[in-house]
mmCIF file of all heavy atoms in Angstrom:
data_model
loop_
_atom_site.group_PDB
_atom_site.id
_atom_site.type_symbol
_atom_site.label_atom_id
_atom_site.label_comp_id
_atom_site.label_asym_id
_atom_site.label_seq_id
_atom_site.Cartn_x
_atom_site.Cartn_y
_atom_site.Cartn_z
ATOM 1 N N THR A 590 110.464 81.505 100.687
ATOM 2 C CA THR A 590 109.573 81.954 99.601
ATOM 3 C C THR A 590 108.126 81.824 100.088
ATOM 4 O O THR A 590 107.691 80.762 100.571
ATOM 5 C CB THR A 590 109.747 81.079 98.366
ATOM 6 O OG1 THR A 590 111.074 81.106 97.927
ATOM 7 C CG2 THR A 590 108.797 81.575 97.260
ATOM 8 N N VAL A 591 107.416 82.942 99.986
ATOM 9 C CA VAL A 591 106.014 82.957 100.321
ATOM 10 C C VAL A 591 105.154 82.787 99.093
ATOM 11 O O VAL A 591 105.529 83.258 98.008
ATOM 12 C CB VAL A 591 105.661 84.320 101.090
ATOM 13 C CG1 VAL A 591 105.871 85.512 100.186
ATOM 14 C CG2 VAL A 591 104.223 84.230 101.596
ATOM 15 N N SER A 592 104.068 82.088 99.247
ATOM 16 C CA SER A 592 103.128 81.849 98.142
ATOM 17 C C SER A 592 101.736 81.858 98.653
ATOM 18 O O SER A 592 101.509 81.817 99.904
ATOM 19 C CB SER A 592 103.497 80.606 97.383
ATOM 20 O OG SER A 592 103.348 79.472 98.185
ATOM 21 N N ARG A 593 100.759 81.847 97.784
ATOM 22 C CA ARG A 593 99.391 81.806 98.221
ATOM 23 C C ARG A 593 98.533 81.031 97.249
ATOM 24 O O ARG A 593 98.813 80.932 96.048
ATOM 25 C CB ARG A 593 98.842 83.258 98.311
ATOM 26 C CG ARG A 593 98.829 84.056 97.030
ATOM 27 C CD ARG A 593 98.602 85.536 97.270
ATOM 28 N NE ARG A 593 97.340 85.802 97.901
ATOM 29 C CZ ARG A 593 97.048 86.912 98.588
ATOM 30 N NH1 ARG A 593 97.984 87.842 98.712
ATOM 31 N NH2 ARG A 593 95.825 87.043 99.123
ATOM 32 N N ASP A 594 97.486 80.430 97.780
ATOM 33 C CA ASP A 594 96.498 79.728 97.017
ATOM 34 C C ASP A 594 95.162 80.369 97.357
ATOM 35 O O ASP A 594 94.525 80.001 98.335
ATOM 36 C CB ASP A 594 96.485 78.226 97.282
ATOM 37 C CG ASP A 594 95.571 77.490 96.368
ATOM 38 O OD1 ASP A 594 94.579 78.036 95.835
ATOM 39 O OD2 ASP A 594 95.800 76.235 96.172
ATOM 40 N N ASN A 595 94.726 81.319 96.558
ATOM 41 C CA ASN A 595 93.519 82.056 96.901
ATOM 42 C C ASN A 595 92.293 81.178 96.914
ATOM 43 O O ASN A 595 91.330 81.395 97.688
ATOM 44 C CB ASN A 595 93.339 83.200 95.913
ATOM 45 C CG ASN A 595 94.337 84.337 96.125
ATOM 46 O OD1 ASN A 595 94.967 84.448 97.174
ATOM 47 N ND2 ASN A 595 94.526 85.125 95.078
ATOM 48 N N ALA A 596 92.231 80.150 96.070
ATOM 49 C CA ALA A 596 91.116 79.238 96.020
ATOM 50 C C ALA A 596 90.951 78.475 97.335
ATOM 51 O O ALA A 596 89.845 78.152 97.726
ATOM 52 C CB ALA A 596 91.214 78.273 94.869
ATOM 53 N N LYS A 597 92.087 78.216 97.986
ATOM 54 C CA LYS A 597 92.067 77.511 99.271
ATOM 55 C C LYS A 597 92.164 78.464 100.452
ATOM 56 O O LYS A 597 92.156 78.033 101.623
ATOM 57 C CB LYS A 597 93.226 76.547 99.327
ATOM 58 C CG LYS A 597 93.141 75.401 98.319
ATOM 59 C CD LYS A 597 94.273 74.402 98.543
ATOM 60 C CE LYS A 597 94.223 73.302 97.486
ATOM 61 N NZ LYS A 597 92.970 72.500 97.632
ATOM 62 N N ASN A 598 92.263 79.778 100.197
ATOM 63 C CA ASN A 598 92.396 80.760 101.245
ATOM 64 C C ASN A 598 93.565 80.384 102.183
ATOM 65 O O ASN A 598 93.452 80.467 103.411
ATOM 66 C CB ASN A 598 91.086 80.966 102.017
ATOM 67 C CG ASN A 598 90.052 81.741 101.255
ATOM 68 O OD1 ASN A 598 90.351 82.741 100.676
ATOM 69 N ND2 ASN A 598 88.816 81.238 101.246
ATOM 70 N N THR A 599 94.646 80.015 101.584
ATOM 71 C CA THR A 599 95.820 79.556 102.322
ATOM 72 C C THR A 599 97.044 80.210 101.803
ATOM 73 O O THR A 599 97.240 80.442 100.618
ATOM 74 C CB THR A 599 95.928 78.021 102.187
ATOM 75 O OG1 THR A 599 94.760 77.378 102.672
ATOM 76 C CG2 THR A 599 97.156 77.498 103.013
ATOM 77 N N VAL A 600 97.943 80.541 102.766
ATOM 78 C CA VAL A 600 99.224 81.150 102.493
ATOM 79 C C VAL A 600 100.321 80.153 102.938
ATOM 80 O O VAL A 600 100.141 79.487 103.962
ATOM 81 C CB VAL A 600 99.377 82.525 103.179
ATOM 82 C CG1 VAL A 600 100.671 83.197 102.760
ATOM 83 C CG2 VAL A 600 98.190 83.400 102.869
ATOM 84 N N TYR A 601 101.412 80.132 102.232
ATOM 85 C CA TYR A 601 102.480 79.177 102.521
ATOM 86 C C TYR A 601 103.812 79.919 102.712
ATOM 87 O O TYR A 601 104.012 81.009 102.134
ATOM 88 C CB TYR A 601 102.652 78.166 101.377
ATOM 89 C CG TYR A 601 101.386 77.394 101.079
ATOM 90 C CD1 TYR A 601 100.543 77.843 100.087
ATOM 91 C CD2 TYR A 601 101.036 76.266 101.834
ATOM 92 C CE1 TYR A 601 99.401 77.112 99.786
ATOM 93 C CE2 TYR A 601 99.904 75.573 101.511
ATOM 94 C CZ TYR A 601 99.061 75.981 100.493
ATOM 95 O OH TYR A 601 97.912 75.309 100.214
ATOM 96 N N LEU A 602 104.682 79.302 103.442
ATOM 97 C CA LEU A 602 106.041 79.785 103.558
ATOM 98 C C LEU A 602 106.993 78.621 103.442
ATOM 99 O O LEU A 602 107.039 77.805 104.359
ATOM 100 C CB LEU A 602 106.300 80.501 104.883
ATOM 101 C CG LEU A 602 107.662 81.176 105.064
ATOM 102 C CD1 LEU A 602 107.802 82.344 104.065
ATOM 103 C CD2 LEU A 602 107.888 81.650 106.502
ATOM 104 N N GLN A 603 107.718 78.574 102.291
ATOM 105 C CA GLN A 603 108.701 77.545 102.102
ATOM 106 C C GLN A 603 110.050 78.077 102.664
ATOM 107 O O GLN A 603 110.530 79.108 102.221
ATOM 108 C CB GLN A 603 108.874 77.246 100.602
ATOM 109 C CG GLN A 603 109.932 76.186 100.300
ATOM 110 C CD GLN A 603 109.594 74.817 100.801
ATOM 111 O OE1 GLN A 603 108.497 74.321 100.608
ATOM 112 N NE2 GLN A 603 110.516 74.186 101.500
ATOM 113 N N MET A 604 110.601 77.354 103.595
ATOM 114 C CA MET A 604 111.836 77.712 104.279
ATOM 115 C C MET A 604 112.900 76.685 103.933
ATOM 116 O O MET A 604 112.786 75.516 104.279
ATOM 117 C CB MET A 604 111.614 77.881 105.764
ATOM 118 C CG MET A 604 110.455 78.781 106.161
ATOM 119 S SD MET A 604 110.366 79.010 107.926
ATOM 120 C CE MET A 604 109.967 77.379 108.452
ATOM 121 N N ASN A 605 113.972 77.137 103.318
ATOM 122 C CA ASN A 605 115.119 76.321 102.989
ATOM 123 C C ASN A 605 116.387 76.808 103.661
ATOM 124 O O ASN A 605 116.423 77.945 104.099
ATOM 125 C CB ASN A 605 115.322 76.221 101.470
ATOM 126 C CG ASN A 605 114.125 75.698 100.758
ATOM 127 O OD1 ASN A 605 113.485 74.791 101.196
ATOM 128 N ND2 ASN A 605 113.854 76.260 99.551
ATOM 129 N N SER A 606 117.361 75.923 103.766
ATOM 130 C CA SER A 606 118.656 76.288 104.350
ATOM 131 C C SER A 606 118.457 76.956 105.693
ATOM 132 O O SER A 606 119.074 77.984 106.008
ATOM 133 C CB SER A 606 119.432 77.213 103.385
ATOM 134 O OG SER A 606 119.640 76.584 102.144
ATOM 135 N N LEU A 607 117.698 76.341 106.546
ATOM 136 C CA LEU A 607 117.346 76.955 107.833
ATOM 137 C C LEU A 607 118.573 77.087 108.716
ATOM 138 O O LEU A 607 119.467 76.213 108.721
ATOM 139 C CB LEU A 607 116.260 76.120 108.502
ATOM 140 C CG LEU A 607 114.874 76.300 107.952
ATOM 141 C CD1 LEU A 607 113.961 75.176 108.323
ATOM 142 C CD2 LEU A 607 114.304 77.655 108.457
ATOM 143 N N LYS A 608 118.591 78.120 109.507
ATOM 144 C CA LYS A 608 119.682 78.445 110.399
ATOM 145 C C LYS A 608 119.092 78.517 111.836
ATOM 146 O O LYS A 608 117.916 78.766 112.028
ATOM 147 C CB LYS A 608 120.293 79.804 110.048
ATOM 148 C CG LYS A 608 120.803 79.883 108.644
ATOM 149 C CD LYS A 608 121.288 81.323 108.338
ATOM 150 C CE LYS A 608 121.824 81.450 106.908
ATOM 151 N NZ LYS A 608 122.292 82.820 106.627
ATOM 152 N N PRO A 609 119.980 78.308 112.840
ATOM 153 C CA PRO A 609 119.515 78.410 114.198
ATOM 154 C C PRO A 609 118.823 79.731 114.514
ATOM 155 O O PRO A 609 117.881 79.772 115.293
ATOM 156 C CB PRO A 609 120.786 78.252 115.052
ATOM 157 C CG PRO A 609 121.645 77.377 114.186
ATOM 158 C CD PRO A 609 121.375 77.858 112.734
ATOM 159 N N GLU A 610 119.291 80.817 113.909
ATOM 160 C CA GLU A 610 118.646 82.124 114.204
ATOM 161 C C GLU A 610 117.267 82.224 113.558
ATOM 162 O O GLU A 610 116.566 83.250 113.837
ATOM 163 C CB GLU A 610 119.565 83.272 113.672
ATOM 164 C CG GLU A 610 120.024 83.111 112.207
ATOM 165 C CD GLU A 610 121.377 82.497 112.093
ATOM 166 O OE1 GLU A 610 121.656 81.500 112.843
ATOM 167 O OE2 GLU A 610 122.172 83.043 111.262
ATOM 168 N N ASP A 611 116.845 81.268 112.800
ATOM 169 C CA ASP A 611 115.429 81.249 112.325
ATOM 170 C C ASP A 611 114.477 80.696 113.364
ATOM 171 O O ASP A 611 113.260 80.751 113.137
ATOM 172 C CB ASP A 611 115.319 80.397 111.023
ATOM 173 C CG ASP A 611 116.138 80.994 109.915
ATOM 174 O OD1 ASP A 611 116.111 82.250 109.681
ATOM 175 O OD2 ASP A 611 116.742 80.216 109.141
ATOM 176 N N THR A 612 115.012 80.210 114.446
ATOM 177 C CA THR A 612 114.157 79.672 115.524
ATOM 178 C C THR A 612 113.202 80.756 116.027
ATOM 179 O O THR A 612 113.625 81.797 116.481
ATOM 180 C CB THR A 612 114.993 79.099 116.621
ATOM 181 O OG1 THR A 612 115.753 77.971 116.166
ATOM 182 C CG2 THR A 612 114.127 78.606 117.799
ATOM 183 N N ALA A 613 111.903 80.460 115.977
ATOM 184 C CA ALA A 613 110.923 81.405 116.409
ATOM 185 C C ALA A 613 109.556 80.788 116.264
ATOM 186 O O ALA A 613 109.397 79.714 115.687
ATOM 187 C CB ALA A 613 110.975 82.697 115.556
ATOM 188 N N VAL A 614 108.573 81.514 116.783
ATOM 189 C CA VAL A 614 107.189 81.144 116.508
ATOM 190 C C VAL A 614 106.744 81.976 115.279
ATOM 191 O O VAL A 614 106.958 83.183 115.225
ATOM 192 C CB VAL A 614 106.273 81.478 117.675
ATOM 193 C CG1 VAL A 614 104.788 81.157 117.326
ATOM 194 C CG2 VAL A 614 106.680 80.681 118.895
ATOM 195 N N TYR A 615 106.222 81.298 114.280
ATOM 196 C CA TYR A 615 105.846 81.922 113.019
ATOM 197 C C TYR A 615 104.391 82.145 112.966
ATOM 198 O O TYR A 615 103.564 81.221 113.283
ATOM 199 C CB TYR A 615 106.349 81.101 111.848
ATOM 200 C CG TYR A 615 107.815 81.219 111.587
ATOM 201 C CD1 TYR A 615 108.723 80.624 112.478
ATOM 202 C CD2 TYR A 615 108.318 81.906 110.505
ATOM 203 C CE1 TYR A 615 110.094 80.769 112.252
ATOM 204 C CE2 TYR A 615 109.669 82.011 110.295
ATOM 205 C CZ TYR A 615 110.565 81.435 111.201
ATOM 206 O OH TYR A 615 111.899 81.604 110.991
ATOM 207 N N TYR A 616 103.968 83.301 112.527
ATOM 208 C CA TYR A 616 102.586 83.701 112.422
ATOM 209 C C TYR A 616 102.287 84.246 111.049
ATOM 210 O O TYR A 616 103.142 84.783 110.369
ATOM 211 C CB TYR A 616 102.218 84.815 113.428
ATOM 212 C CG TYR A 616 102.543 84.528 114.905
ATOM 213 C CD1 TYR A 616 103.783 84.830 115.387
ATOM 214 C CD2 TYR A 616 101.537 84.067 115.722
ATOM 215 C CE1 TYR A 616 104.044 84.604 116.742
ATOM 216 C CE2 TYR A 616 101.801 83.838 117.067
ATOM 217 C CZ TYR A 616 103.054 84.097 117.543
ATOM 218 O OH TYR A 616 103.351 83.861 118.904
ATOM 219 N N CYS A 617 101.063 84.078 110.610
ATOM 220 C CA CYS A 617 100.577 84.820 109.446
ATOM 221 C C CYS A 617 99.506 85.792 109.856
ATOM 222 O O CYS A 617 98.882 85.712 110.917
ATOM 223 C CB CYS A 617 100.033 83.832 108.387
ATOM 224 S SG CYS A 617 98.517 82.954 108.858
ATOM 225 N N ASN A 618 99.307 86.773 108.988
ATOM 226 C CA ASN A 618 98.309 87.779 109.223
ATOM 227 C C ASN A 618 98.267 88.686 107.972
ATOM 228 O O ASN A 618 98.981 88.420 106.993
ATOM 229 C CB ASN A 618 98.595 88.635 110.490
ATOM 230 C CG ASN A 618 97.312 89.058 111.132
ATOM 231 O OD1 ASN A 618 96.468 89.710 110.568
ATOM 232 N ND2 ASN A 618 97.183 88.716 112.466
ATOM 233 N N LEU A 619 97.401 89.674 108.035
ATOM 234 C CA LEU A 619 97.403 90.652 106.979
ATOM 235 C C LEU A 619 98.746 91.372 106.953
ATOM 236 O O LEU A 619 99.408 91.514 107.977
ATOM 237 C CB LEU A 619 96.300 91.680 107.147
ATOM 238 C CG LEU A 619 94.896 91.155 107.258
ATOM 239 C CD1 LEU A 619 93.892 92.317 107.446
ATOM 240 C CD2 LEU A 619 94.492 90.331 106.053
ATOM 241 N N ALA A 620 99.120 91.877 105.820
ATOM 242 C CA ALA A 620 100.348 92.644 105.713
ATOM 243 C C ALA A 620 100.264 93.913 106.559
ATOM 244 O O ALA A 620 101.311 94.408 106.991
ATOM 245 C CB ALA A 620 100.650 92.989 104.270
ATOM 246 N N THR A 621 99.102 94.412 106.757
ATOM 247 C CA THR A 621 98.824 95.464 107.712
ATOM 248 C C THR A 621 98.052 94.861 108.862
ATOM 249 O O THR A 621 96.824 94.727 108.801
ATOM 250 C CB THR A 621 98.041 96.604 107.108
ATOM 251 O OG1 THR A 621 98.741 97.097 105.944
ATOM 252 C CG2 THR A 621 97.834 97.721 108.065
ATOM 253 N N PRO A 622 98.711 94.438 109.945
ATOM 254 C CA PRO A 622 98.038 93.705 111.003
ATOM 255 C C PRO A 622 97.236 94.676 111.889
ATOM 256 O O PRO A 622 97.336 95.907 111.756
ATOM 257 C CB PRO A 622 99.204 93.114 111.805
ATOM 258 C CG PRO A 622 100.375 94.054 111.585
ATOM 259 C CD PRO A 622 100.185 94.553 110.188
ATOM 260 N N GLY A 623 96.504 94.079 112.799
ATOM 261 C CA GLY A 623 95.676 94.834 113.726
ATOM 262 C C GLY A 623 94.226 94.648 113.530
ATOM 263 O O GLY A 623 93.453 95.024 114.431
ATOM 264 N N ARG A 624 93.797 94.049 112.431
ATOM 265 C CA ARG A 624 92.383 93.876 112.174
ATOM 266 C C ARG A 624 91.935 92.477 112.526
ATOM 267 O O ARG A 624 90.792 92.264 112.914
ATOM 268 C CB ARG A 624 92.046 94.131 110.707
ATOM 269 C CG ARG A 624 92.302 95.589 110.277
ATOM 270 C CD ARG A 624 92.056 95.752 108.825
ATOM 271 N NE ARG A 624 90.697 95.413 108.452
ATOM 272 C CZ ARG A 624 90.243 95.305 107.192
ATOM 273 N NH1 ARG A 624 91.092 95.515 106.167
ATOM 274 N NH2 ARG A 624 89.010 94.939 106.977
ATOM 275 N N ILE A 625 92.848 91.532 112.382
ATOM 276 C CA ILE A 625 92.531 90.099 112.641
ATOM 277 C C ILE A 625 93.339 89.621 113.825
ATOM 278 O O ILE A 625 94.521 89.879 113.880
ATOM 279 C CB ILE A 625 92.792 89.239 111.384
ATOM 280 C CG1 ILE A 625 91.945 89.743 110.204
ATOM 281 C CG2 ILE A 625 92.542 87.776 111.692
ATOM 282 C CD1 ILE A 625 92.260 88.977 108.931
ATOM 283 N N PRO A 626 92.731 88.925 114.784
ATOM 284 C CA PRO A 626 93.509 88.428 115.899
ATOM 285 C C PRO A 626 94.626 87.483 115.451
ATOM 286 O O PRO A 626 94.459 86.731 114.522
ATOM 287 C CB PRO A 626 92.466 87.700 116.756
ATOM 288 C CG PRO A 626 91.180 88.257 116.372
ATOM 289 C CD PRO A 626 91.272 88.637 114.877
ATOM 290 N N TRP A 627 95.725 87.568 116.173
ATOM 291 C CA TRP A 627 96.822 86.643 115.896
ATOM 292 C C TRP A 627 96.446 85.203 116.269
ATOM 293 O O TRP A 627 95.754 84.978 117.275
ATOM 294 C CB TRP A 627 98.066 87.046 116.669
ATOM 295 C CG TRP A 627 98.627 88.365 116.326
ATOM 296 C CD1 TRP A 627 98.366 89.583 116.906
ATOM 297 C CD2 TRP A 627 99.509 88.655 115.213
ATOM 298 N NE1 TRP A 627 99.087 90.576 116.274
ATOM 299 C CE2 TRP A 627 99.786 90.021 115.211
ATOM 300 C CE3 TRP A 627 100.116 87.836 114.231
ATOM 301 C CZ2 TRP A 627 100.610 90.662 114.296
ATOM 302 C CZ3 TRP A 627 100.920 88.452 113.321
ATOM 303 C CH2 TRP A 627 101.193 89.821 113.324
ATOM 304 N N GLY A 628 96.855 84.279 115.455
ATOM 305 C CA GLY A 628 96.701 82.858 115.806
ATOM 306 C C GLY A 628 97.720 82.451 116.812
ATOM 307 O O GLY A 628 98.449 83.286 117.356
ATOM 308 N N GLN A 629 97.788 81.116 117.059
ATOM 309 C CA GLN A 629 98.783 80.631 118.023
ATOM 310 C C GLN A 629 100.147 80.517 117.453
ATOM 311 O O GLN A 629 101.124 80.376 118.181
ATOM 312 C CB GLN A 629 98.310 79.276 118.608
ATOM 313 C CG GLN A 629 97.086 79.363 119.495
ATOM 314 C CD GLN A 629 96.814 78.045 120.212
ATOM 315 O OE1 GLN A 629 97.389 77.023 119.857
ATOM 316 N NE2 GLN A 629 95.953 78.128 121.202
ATOM 317 N N GLY A 630 100.256 80.583 116.129
ATOM 318 C CA GLY A 630 101.525 80.449 115.493
ATOM 319 C C GLY A 630 101.992 79.025 115.467
ATOM 320 O O GLY A 630 101.383 78.100 116.046
ATOM 321 N N THR A 631 103.101 78.778 114.799
ATOM 322 C CA THR A 631 103.672 77.420 114.736
ATOM 323 C C THR A 631 105.165 77.537 115.050
ATOM 324 O O THR A 631 105.865 78.398 114.535
ATOM 325 C CB THR A 631 103.408 76.743 113.356
ATOM 326 O OG1 THR A 631 103.907 75.415 113.425
ATOM 327 C CG2 THR A 631 104.096 77.535 112.213
ATOM 328 N N GLN A 632 105.635 76.718 115.954
ATOM 329 C CA GLN A 632 107.004 76.780 116.435
ATOM 330 C C GLN A 632 107.962 76.152 115.451
ATOM 331 O O GLN A 632 107.765 75.000 114.998
ATOM 332 C CB GLN A 632 107.145 76.070 117.792
ATOM 333 C CG GLN A 632 108.599 75.997 118.329
ATOM 334 C CD GLN A 632 109.065 77.328 118.835
ATOM 335 O OE1 GLN A 632 108.389 78.003 119.613
ATOM 336 N NE2 GLN A 632 110.241 77.730 118.355
#
């Protein structure tokens, strides 16, 4: 489930029932990327 707190300029991703295939580096960005550089992500 994705959510946002505009007052904090923060976006969240709640991940439940995780599976091995969810293993990845996770990034946030605009829904239309290309304008803002990618961050380092979180593993």
Side-chain angles (χ1 to χ4, degrees):
T590 303
V591 62
S592 61
R593 63 194 297 159
D594 186 335
N595 289 340
K597 297 184 181 296
N598 286 314
T599 301
V600 186
Y601 304 94
L602 185 67
Q603 179 67 48
M604 305 186 297
N605 299 322
S606 301
L607 283 161
K608 304 175 179 179
E610 52 262 44
D611 296 319
T612 296
V614 179
Y615 284 72
Y616 305 86
C617 66
N618 213 304
L619 304 181
T621 303
R624 297 177 58 189
I625 300 176
W627 296 95
Q629 291 190 347
T631 185
Q632 176 72 50

